[in-house]
Amino acid sequence: MYYGILRGTNFKWLDVVKLFDKHVLDENAELIEVRYYTAPVLGRMSDDPKSTQRQRQYLQALKIINPNRLKIIEGQIVASKPYQRLVKPIPQAPELSVVQVFNFTEKKTDVNLASDLISGAWKALYEQAIICSNDSDLEAALASVKKDHPHIRIGIVAPIALDTHRHISGDLKRYADWKKVLTLTQVSKSQLPPKIPGSKIQKPETW
């Protein structure tokens, strides 16, 4: 969601429960729970060392505002320093063909989401699951649910900015009962309050 639609906007103070409850789901649907899959920012590797603090404040704000309908599942960010080949030579250093770079990979997030989706279907925890992602890696999980539980409805809400000319993943669409693209209008109408009631948490001035 962050890289697909929130980055570069002023709408990062997003109430994900309000977003789906008020602006994405059909009015006849009963939202039981929103599961937010994320990973802690590596402060030591961030351009702004306060990124970690802002993320923790945001997650805490979500928990306070939505104490009963939100579950946060955290994976982890793994940093590595691989050597990679240049696509084009660097004019100032034409002798270079390989450089060492920092690489950050989010681990466990997709697996956590997929396992929860399949487990929840077998335990009959939901009648409909809405996946807010455009990651085709989730195809196998959706296929598994549809194969063994064809009565369960699956919705795909793709967090893709319209001006990027990206499309909803065909691998996900084939298992969806309905699909839509998340819009900035929906996101803008689903912001947390600037100050979280009953706490000292406030929306960060910068992000």
Side-chain angles (χ1 to χ4, degrees):
M1 180 180 287
Y2 179 82
Y3 290 103
I5 194 169
L6 295 180
R7 183 173 61 172
T9 74
N10 295 320
F11 305 133
K12 302 181 183 72
W13 197 236
L14 177 63
D15 184 342
V16 291
V17 175
K18 181 179 180 180
L19 172 66
F20 285 90
D21 194 25
K22 303 298 184 182
H23 302 293
V24 172
L25 286 173
D26 183 272
E27 61 180 13
N28 296 318
E30 179 188 359
L31 188 150
I32 302 300
E33 184 179 67
V34 170
R35 297 194 174 191
Y36 185 72
Y37 298 85
T38 186
V41 172
L42 294 178
R44 71 182 189 278
M45 308 300 289
S46 301
D47 294 333
D48 185 344
K50 294 183 179 180
S51 295
T52 300
Q53 179 184 353
R54 288 195 294 266
Q55 184 189 41
R56 301 315 303 178
Q57 287 179 329
Y58 171 61
L59 296 179
Q60 189 62 32
L62 284 177
K63 292 176 183 178
I64 293 172
I65 294 295
N66 304 288
N68 301 316
R69 294 196 295 175
L70 174 74
K71 184 175 182 179
I72 296 173
I73 299 96
E74 294 190 357
Q76 64 184 106
I77 300 292
V78 176
S80 60
K81 296 184 285 186
Y83 287 89
Q84 297 187 348
R85 290 180 293 177
L86 291 172
V87 175
K88 296 180 180 180
I90 300 174
Q92 295 82 356
E95 73 281 0
L96 288 179
S97 60
V98 176
V99 295
Q100 188 176 21
V101 300
F102 284 114
N103 185 60
F104 304 100
T105 305
E106 189 169 340
K107 296 290 188 179
K108 300 182 181 180
T109 297
D110 291 346
V111 174
N112 287 339
L113 194 163
S115 61
D116 281 353
L117 185 69
I118 294 171
S119 174
W122 279 103
K123 294 178 180 178
L125 297 181
Y126 60 84
E127 296 176 350
Q128 177 174 215
I130 293 86
I131 312 301
C132 185
S133 176
N134 203 42
D135 190 343
S136 60
D137 287 348
L138 296 172
E139 176 189 9
L142 269 61
S144 177
V145 170
K146 274 300 183 183
K147 176 183 176 182
D148 297 321
H149 309 275
H151 62 284
I152 290 180
R153 287 174 57 81
I154 293 178
I156 300 297
V157 178
I160 51 178
L162 294 178
D163 58 359
T164 62
H165 302 291
R166 295 172 63 197
H167 302 283
I168 299 177
S169 168
D171 293 331
L172 302 184
K173 285 196 297 185
R174 66 167 56 100
Y175 300 106
D177 295 286
W178 59 269
K179 57 192 178 297
K180 64 175 64 175
V181 173
L182 190 63
T183 69
L184 283 176
T185 299
Q186 293 169 323
V187 169
S188 68
K189 293 180 177 179
S190 308
Q191 297 295 291
L192 291 163
K195 186 178 187 307
I196 304 303
S199 75
K200 297 181 179 179
I201 300 175
Q202 300 184 53
K203 179 181 179 179
E205 293 182 3
T206 60
W207 208 286

